[in-house]
DNA sequence: GTCTCCTTGTGATTATTTTCACAATGTTAT
DNA sequence: ATAACATTGTGAAAATAATCACAAGGAGAC
């Protein structure tokens, strides 16, 4: 069960944030031991799926008892790469960018919003939720100075590709993209698409299946 | 190939919003015919996957030529249930709720934000992006009056379950939940979880795999 | 310490999804 | 009309994921 040799299924990785969520809640409630059945019930999955997923990371549980919440929480954070803090910049201080800048959930997961970038002169020089707003022209300079790694794209779709090009050039390693458009970037840049419309359309699809 | 008899794979349905995105872009550019290869390239998937997906809905393409953009767009909208307009309410007029209330992407997909609900007296009675803010106590009455179907939950996690209970009681049919918590609701209520933290943690995971 | 009970960890099985490869069938040029 | 060509639609094969069922092992009672 040497990790590194074992290939961890993509489907398993995609569920880790879910497990993190449930375990964080147990932790806050002061619960120190939970069974796979309990977690599974809370999350609406099967307990065998949870156990199988966790088994890829070695024997984390205690047979006959369950899983130690603190221990499992730590291990999942480690696997997700959350030990190291990451610095983000938000490009586009509009409605969504502003909301994200003030979102405490990011900070709580080791993600520090260090800068906002804008082209609107009215916003440049101000601070939003304590985060300074820089002109887009300073992207390159500030990226190096602040050690920025992840760019959050909350600019209009029409500007997104051009901004993505600038972001890549500035030295960012990853993009979290909220604009409803696919980006063309070099292979070595990680892109995570956050398509809120896709989410609600999935819901609409289920709704119309049921009700017409 | 009678639809209704054929079971459409979940994985296929989950990709339809993606196809919608690409086709909408082609449509705006005035392109009327595209090959599976072109679409696939833009989206970073294989052309055979696209063709297989579309094949579940019958012969939509033109052999030797490609797919008619307008025709395919219409069919996908139909399958996703977008012909019928849906009325939404946003519960929690905070940072995220405000951003969503003013998001034009919803309107563009037939989703009408008709109301915001709040407990903060300072916000009640005002309008945000043209949407009136009602007291949470009026949830039941306004749901019936306005014909609300989908509740968007943008309240703090601690309040989310209680609000979900109220939303169910008020007669909503579906919940689009942004609070980082799993909800307990009756079987017949559709819940779509929008976990932004999960998205960015997936990105962080990839990042730390690559860079450590 | 032994016995009973409980829950994990996992090989085997089944289901789902993706990829492959090519026949079918349309377009376009002449 | 016919030939040359392009692209779809789809069975079959391969890969991936989920579920099952139970042996293994640890906890707790006495
Ligand atoms: N508002 C939402 O709730 C929401 C939800 C999902 C997705 N989105 C997407 O997020 C993006 C932003 O949406 P929004 O509602 O916040 O729009 P917005 O108009 O409120 O904000 C966009 C901001 O980007 C700035 N901007 C424009 N071009 C720029 C550039 N080249 N460089 C830097 N800044 C630039 C504008 O000045 C503006 O402040 C859009 O692509 C939208 O589709 C928004
Ligand atoms: N801000 C973001 O970018 C962001 C991103 C992802 C997820 N979220 C989640 O969305 C939710 C809202 O986040 P936010 O940043 O907008 O918080 P916020 O504090 O800005 O807004 C919450 C709003 O809900 C209202 N509220 C509280 N209890 C209520 C109740 N019982 N009924 C109706 N309204 C009530 C508050 O008065 C406030 O206006 C949280 O669960 C958060 O985790 C936020």
């Amino acid at each position: 069960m040497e990790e590194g040799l074992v290939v961890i299924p993509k489907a398993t990785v995609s569920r880790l944030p879910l497990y993190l969520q449930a375990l964080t809640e147990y932790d806050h409630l002061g619960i120190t031991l939970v069974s796979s059945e309990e977690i599974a019930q809370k999350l609406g999955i099967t307990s065998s799926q949870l156990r199988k997923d966790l088994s890829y990371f070695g024997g984390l549980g205690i047979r006959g008892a369950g899983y130690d919440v603190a221990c499992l929480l730590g291990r999942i954070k480690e696997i997700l790469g959350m030990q190291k803090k990451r610095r983000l910049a938000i490009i586009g201080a509009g409605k969504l960018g502003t909301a994200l800048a003030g979102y405490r959930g990011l900070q709580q997961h080791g993600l520090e919003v260090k800068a906002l970038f804008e082209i609107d002169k009215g916003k440049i020089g101000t601070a939003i939720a304590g985060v300074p707003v820089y002109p887009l022209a300073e992207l390159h300079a500030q990226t190096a100075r602040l050690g920025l790694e992840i760019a959050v794209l909350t600019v209009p779709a029409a500007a997104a590709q051009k901004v993505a090009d600038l972001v890549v050039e500035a030295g960012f390693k990853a993009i979290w993209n909220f604009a409803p458009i696919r980006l063309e970037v070099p292979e070595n840049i990680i892109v995570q698409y956050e398509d809120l419309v896709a989410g609600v359309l999935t819901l609409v699809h289920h709704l119309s299946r049921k009700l017409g």
Side-chain angles (χ1 to χ4, degrees), chain A residues 1-3 51 53-61 67 75:
Chain A
M1 200 48 52
E2 238 75 38
E3 88 218 41
R51 289 200 304 277
D53 279 344
L54 296 181
S55 77
Y56 292 111
F57 308 111
L60 297 173
Y67 294 88
R75 194 75 183 84

Side-chain angles (χ1 to χ4, degrees), chain A residues 18-38:
Chain A
L18 202 64
Y19 301 160
L20 184 77
Q21 191 181 93
L23 288 164
T24 302
E25 204 179 323
Y26 285 123
D27 198 40
H28 282 170
L29 293 171
I31 296 168
T32 58
L33 197 74
V34 280
S35 71
S36 60
E37 189 54 42
E38 283 175 282

Side-chain angles (χ1 to χ4, degrees), chain A residues 66-177:
Chain A
Y67 294 88
D68 182 276
V69 172
C71 164
L72 191 49
L73 203 47
R75 194 75 183 84
I76 288 178
K77 283 185 182 175
E78 201 181 303
I79 296 158
L80 282 173
M82 292 168 66
Q83 329 87 314
K84 195 166 179 302
K85 290 212 168 145
R86 303 286 176 178
R87 284 184 274 264
L88 331 195
I90 298 174
I91 329 286
K95 291 182 287 283
L96 184 57
T98 298
L100 288 170
Y103 183 38
R104 310 203 58 230
L106 295 178
Q107 187 70 247
Q108 282 161 15
H109 289 87
L111 302 164
E112 304 179 331
V113 179
K114 288 291 196 185
L116 283 153
F117 291 92
E118 254 295 339
I119 50 166
D120 181 342
K121 294 219 170 76
K123 290 173 182 168
I124 293 167
T126 66
I128 293 173
V131 182
V133 182
Y134 299 103
L136 189 64
E138 285 184 23
L139 193 60
H140 203 300
Q142 298 292 351
T143 301
R145 193 176 72 86
L146 298 169
L148 303 173
E149 292 182 292
I150 302 171
V152 186
L153 251 60
T154 53
V155 297
Q161 182 61 60
K162 218 178 300 180
V163 170
D165 295 344
L166 292 174
V167 155
V168 169
E169 196 194 304
F172 281 85
K173 300 180 180 113
I175 295 173
W176 190 21
N177 178 40

